[in-house]
Amino acid sequence: MNLQTKITVAAPDFLIDYNSRLMMLGSCFAENMGSKFSYYKFDVDVNPCGIIYNPLSVANVLRLIVEGKQFEKSDLRQVGGKWVSLYHHGAFSSTDPDECLRRINDRLTKATGELRTLDLLVITWGTAWVYRYTRENIVVSNCHKIPSQEFERSRLSVEDIVKEYLMLIGRLREINPGLRILFTVSPIRHWKDGAHGNQLSKATLLLAIDRLREELQHVYYFPAYEIVLDELRDYRFYADDMLHMSGFTVDYIWERFLYSFISPEVLGLMNQIGRVNKGVAHRPFDPQSEEYHRLVKKMLAEIAMISRSYPMIDFSEEKRKLNEVIVVFESCRKSQALQGLLIIQCFFDQVFI
C-alpha cells in the first residue's frame, strides 16, 4: 500500500560539493536550510540582511549587494529608542547608531565580495504580500513596530515579480556569468493573511518562479512547499502553532534536498563532520576523566585528517574549543601532581624532623 503522494524532485544539471560557494536569501526556511549547510561546513552565507519574506525585499537586498552599498546614519531610522534599517531584519538594530551601521556594513561588504565567485544563489520567498512605507514610497523588509497607518499593504502580481527579477538576474549574470539560481517557496503559511489570502500569495510566488524558469537558463526550483503539503500532510509534522515546521520536518526536507542537489561523493565527509560536531557539543559527566581526554584528542586527530584533504573547510572554532579542554585538563593534572608532591613532602618533613 502506498500511503503517500511522493513528490518528484527534478534532477539538476549540477551538484553541490565542498568547492561550491553558496548564498541563501529569504524567509526563515532559508535560515533552516542554511543552518544545515553551515553545520556540515559548506561555504555558505545566509541572509546578509537578515530574514526577509517577500520577493521585492529580497530584490532590494540583492541590489544593495550588487552596488556594494555602505550605509550611513542618514539611511537609518530611530524607532522606540533603537536605530533600524528598513532594508534589514531587527537583528541588526541597536541603541547605538554606530553599532547598527557596523553590523550592517560588515555583512554587506562580505556579501559583495562573495558575489563574483558564487556558484549557487538560493532564494526562498515566503509571501507575495508587501508593506510599502508611504513616507518614502519603499517596500520594507521589516516594519520595526512603526505605526501601521504609515504603511500600505498590497499583494504583488506575477508580472510585478517577473519583471523585477528578469532585470535583476540579468544584472547578476553580468557580474557572475556562471551563477545558478535556485528558487523555493516557504511551506510556512502566513495565517495573518487568512487561509484564502495565503493560498493566493503562494500561488502568485509559484507562478512567478515558473515564468522565470521558462524565460531564463540555469534557474531551478526545489519543491519544499509541495513536499510539506503533500508528503507530510499531517499536523504532527508542524510545531505547536500549527504553522511552522517541526524539527523532524526540517530534517526531512533537508534529506530530500541532500539526495537531489548534493554530490554523493561528499556524503561520507558530511558524516565525518557530523561526528566531529556531535563530539564538540558533547558535555561529559566528568570533563577531567582520561576517557574524555582521549576522546578530545581523537576528535582533533580527525579534524587534522579532514583538513589535510579539504583545507577549505574551517574548523578554527572547533579546534579552539577542543584545545581549551586539553589545556584545562593538563592544568588540572599538573595541579593534582603538585598537590600530591606537597602531601608527600609534608609526610617526609613530619617523619624525619
Side-chain angles (χ1 to χ4, degrees):
M1 294 176 66
N2 184 8
L3 302 179
Q4 275 186 314
T5 49
K6 199 80 172 177
I7 301 300
T8 301
V9 180
D13 57 3
F14 70 95
L15 289 172
I16 298 166
D17 60 24
Y18 278 93
N19 293 307
S20 304
R21 306 195 70 180
L22 316 173
M23 182 179 289
M24 308 193 77
L25 298 176
S27 75
C28 45
F29 177 74
E31 295 271 326
N32 289 332
M33 294 295 102
S35 67
K36 294 290 188 183
F37 276 109
S38 296
Y39 180 81
Y40 288 105
K41 298 293 183 181
F42 285 88
D43 186 351
V44 60
D45 190 352
V46 183
N47 275 336
C49 292
I51 297 170
I52 300 166
Y53 296 99
N54 72 79
L56 284 194
S57 290
V58 173
N60 287 338
V61 167
L62 281 169
R63 274 193 291 271
L64 294 176
I65 294 171
V66 167
E67 295 164 2
K69 166 75 173 175
Q70 288 290 285
F71 275 64
E72 300 175 355
K73 189 174 179 180
S74 57
D75 296 309
L76 305 179
R77 307 290 176 272
Q78 193 170 22
V79 182
K82 285 192 174 183
W83 291 87
V84 304
S85 161
L86 297 177
Y87 294 101
H88 288 75
H89 188 267
F92 288 83
S93 64
S94 175
T95 54
D96 179 2
D98 293 331
E99 175 63 16
C100 181
L101 289 172
R102 184 191 64 76
R103 292 176 185 174
I104 287 170
N105 289 329
D106 283 355
R107 290 300 305 276
L108 281 176
T109 299
K110 180 175 181 287
T112 298
E114 294 166 339
L115 186 57
R116 293 183 182 277
T117 57
L118 281 184
D119 296 295
L120 181 66
L121 174 63
V122 183
I123 296 175
T124 301
W125 293 334
T127 179
W129 290 94
V130 299
Y131 288 85
R132 187 176 297 275
Y133 189 46
T134 53
R135 287 189 182 184
E136 300 176 31
N137 193 33
I138 61 170
V139 170
V140 301
S141 298
N142 195 299
C143 295
H144 296 293
K145 298 183 180 179
I146 295 171
S148 58
Q149 58 266 27
E150 297 187 35
F151 295 93
E152 288 180 354
R153 182 174 178 271
S154 61
R155 193 179 73 237
L156 298 172
S157 68
V158 173
E159 289 299 328
D160 292 333
I161 300 170
V162 171
K163 181 180 177 182
E164 182 77 23
Y165 275 82
L166 285 176
M167 292 187 294
L168 183 57
I169 292 173
R171 195 170 176 188
L172 290 169
R173 291 262 171 79
E174 289 175 6
I175 297 170
N176 183 348
L179 180 66
R180 287 179 164 86
I181 299 171
L182 173 65
F183 285 99
T184 66
V185 171
S186 171
I188 299 169
R189 292 166 295 164
H190 287 243
W191 205 245
K192 64 184 178 182
D193 300 328
H196 186 59
N198 173 71
Q199 290 296 85
L200 292 174
S201 169
K202 300 293 187 183
T204 300
L205 302 178
L206 292 166
L207 287 168
I209 291 170
D210 202 52
R211 283 275 302 279
L212 291 170
R213 290 178 62 216
E214 287 175 356
E215 299 194 30
L216 296 170
Q217 291 184 328
H218 303 304
V219 173
Y220 309 85
Y221 176 66
F222 175 67
Y225 179 79
E226 292 83 352
I227 288 170
V228 172
L229 265 68
D230 284 286
E231 287 190 26
L232 307 180
R233 196 188 302 170
D234 192 308
Y235 275 112
R236 63 188 159 139
F237 299 114
Y238 289 82
D240 291 343
D241 63 1
M242 300 301 168
L243 299 173
H244 288 79
M245 297 173 294
S246 69
F248 176 89
T249 304
V250 172
D251 290 342
Y252 183 83
I253 296 173
W254 166 252
E255 187 175 287
R256 294 299 309 276
F257 187 95
L258 177 74
Y259 291 111
S260 301
F261 288 90
I262 295 179
S263 172
E265 296 176 1
V266 302
L267 296 181
L269 175 58
M270 290 175 66
N271 286 333
Q272 283 182 280
I273 292 172
R275 286 197 302 270
V276 170
N277 287 334
K278 287 180 181 177
V280 173
H282 176 63
R283 293 293 176 265
F285 178 73
D286 182 6
Q288 295 181 25
S289 68
E290 288 286 350
E291 183 182 1
Y292 182 57
H293 191 227
R294 285 194 297 271
L295 175 63
V296 168
K297 286 191 170 182
K298 182 180 178 181
M299 284 188 287
L300 283 168
E302 190 160 6
I303 288 173
M305 183 181 68
I306 296 171
S307 297
R308 281 194 292 271
S309 300
Y310 299 91
M312 77 289 285
I313 299 178
D314 182 13
F315 282 105
S316 56
E317 184 63 18
E318 287 77 12
K319 287 193 289 188
R320 183 189 66 79
K321 289 179 179 179
L322 294 174
N323 281 315
E324 280 182 1
V325 171
I326 289 179
V327 168
V328 171
F329 181 86
E330 296 292 347
S331 176
C332 288
R333 189 158 62 177
K334 287 177 182 178
S335 176
Q336 289 168 357
L338 179 59
Q339 187 178 16
L341 286 173
L342 288 173
I343 291 170
I344 293 170
Q345 183 64 48
C346 181
F347 171 77
F348 277 96
D349 287 346
Q350 290 175 359
V351 169
F352 294 103
I353 285 176

